[in-house]
Amino acid sequence: MELMERMKKTLLVAGLAGALALTFLAWPGLGLGSGPGLAPAFAEGEEDPNLDQTLSAGAAVVHGERVLTAGHVDMGPRFVDGKWKFLIHDDVAKADANATSVWRYPAETVFHLFDESQLPAPEDPAYSFLGAEPGQGVWVSPQTQNPDVVWVGWNTQDPEVMEQLDRGVTLTLLGVQGPGVMTVFLQSGSFGEPQLLWDSRVAEPQPLWVDVNTHTHANWAFTEPGVYLVELEASADLIDGTSVADTQLVRFAVGSDTAPADALAAEWGGAAAASAQAGAAGAEQTGPAATATAAAAPAAGGDPLVPILIGAIALVAVVLVAVFGAAIIRGRRAKQRVLAARAAAGADGVGGGPDGAAPGAGVRP
């Protein structure tokens, strides 16, 4: 009995230590994670020179229907007439030396994946989250650019956005409507495991933290041809203390025979429709998402010490979140005072941006 009690105490201490470590790692700016409850920040293919870009502050925001079948495009926030908007940065014009890149509205834009974008689902069980049988064709907008396929990514690099962001942007998948499964994942290096970011079978919002001045591309995979509506929200805190958010439907026409006009005309059926689809697909869910769900489920009839341990871990996590949250708030206020002082100094002809750089030059605070 004495040995058993010592083992229980050891488990409790280990659990509390684990809570401390996990909370530290998950908090943005303190460890390896990205944000509270957000997907972690993964490798972004830094070896790809195409990810090195600087956006123009004067890029136009244009209206007009546009079907993108190849070339480079990013989704991201932009201020339009002083209002925070989630738009699509159409960079495919780079193929024409006389053209310029523009920002477009998602409601007027379609990403069209032809059948040539199909890749066979790998036999590796690590890719079972795709929702396709090994060898089955999956339509993919790839992480590494293929000049014949539209290359879909996201960025937080608009100069005005970088100037006004406090830390970064939360990009949240709210729902997906479509005939099959959509997954978005990163492949870090030649031998790295696939890292799932978004899964259309998950009914709950799936937030992803994106630091300021970030440019990322991932694999967008679709198991069936047809029209997909992807509801995404871009939200952030600004350095003036205000919070902003914008939600848009991103439109995909998957398959050569899928008409882009159908994608443009498609209407969102609402959260209930998306949840019903997610529930039906999730009945056979496998891979990382299913594993995480199973791991989170409590075991029935377990040792009575387990709920005590879980409660203790949760209490430690809450305390640490409160402490770190207060520290961040104090840091933000201090930063705002510094920015105000710099602005005042600039009005007198002294100083500039951080470390001598011009204001809004993209240097992260």
Side-chain angles (χ1 to χ4, degrees), residues 279-324:
E284 299 180 357
Q285 183 174 334
T286 59
T291 302
T293 301
D303 192 299
L305 180 63
V306 172
I308 298 175
L309 177 59
I310 293 174
I313 292 173
L315 178 60
V316 172
V318 169
V319 171
L320 287 175
V321 167
V323 171
F324 291 139

Side-chain angles (χ1 to χ4, degrees), residues 42-235:
F42 301 116
E44 298 172 359
E46 295 178 359
E47 70 281 357
D48 189 345
N50 292 319
L51 292 177
D52 185 13
Q53 69 175 7
T54 301
L55 301 190
S56 170
V61 180
V62 300
H63 279 287
E65 294 181 356
R66 172 74 158 155
V67 179
L68 298 167
T69 60
H72 175 215
V73 293
D74 291 331
M75 298 172 288
R78 168 76 190 265
F79 285 96
V80 180
D81 297 329
K83 295 182 179 179
W84 175 271
K85 294 291 184 181
F86 182 56
L87 302 176
I88 294 172
H89 185 250
D90 178 358
D91 203 31
V92 302
K94 275 190 173 180
D96 183 350
N98 297 318
T100 58
S101 302
V102 297
W103 290 87
R104 298 186 180 276
Y105 291 90
E108 302 170 353
T109 308
V110 175
F111 302 137
H112 194 182
L113 296 177
F114 294 124
D115 291 343
E116 287 76 12
S117 69
Q118 282 186 289
L119 298 172
E123 295 184 3
D124 188 339
Y127 292 87
S128 60
F129 64 82
L130 289 172
E133 295 296 325
Q136 176 184 334
V138 178
W139 288 260
V140 180
S141 173
Q143 177 176 339
T144 301
Q145 186 171 19
N146 177 344
D148 298 323
V149 180
V150 61
W151 193 36
V152 182
W154 54 84
N155 76 66
T156 54
Q157 295 180 306
D158 176 75
E160 187 177 0
V161 167
M162 289 196 296
E163 183 178 355
Q164 295 199 40
L165 275 181
D166 181 25
R167 304 194 54 201
V169 174
T170 300
L171 192 58
T172 303
L173 176 66
L174 298 176
V176 178
Q177 286 182 196
V181 175
M182 184 202 83
T183 51
V184 180
F185 66 97
L186 289 173
Q187 187 75 45
S188 301
S190 302
F191 304 102
E193 289 288 322
Q195 299 161 319
L196 184 61
L197 301 181
W198 290 327
D199 187 336
S200 66
R201 293 162 294 187
V202 177
E204 296 77 17
Q206 300 170 65
L208 176 70
W209 175 260
V210 185
D211 278 322
V212 65
N213 196 18
T214 293
H215 179 207
T216 302
H217 283 259
N219 300 287
W220 298 70
F222 303 84
T223 61
E224 300 292 339
V227 171
Y228 291 77
L229 298 181
V230 182
E231 189 178 33
L232 291 170
E233 178 192 67
S235 59

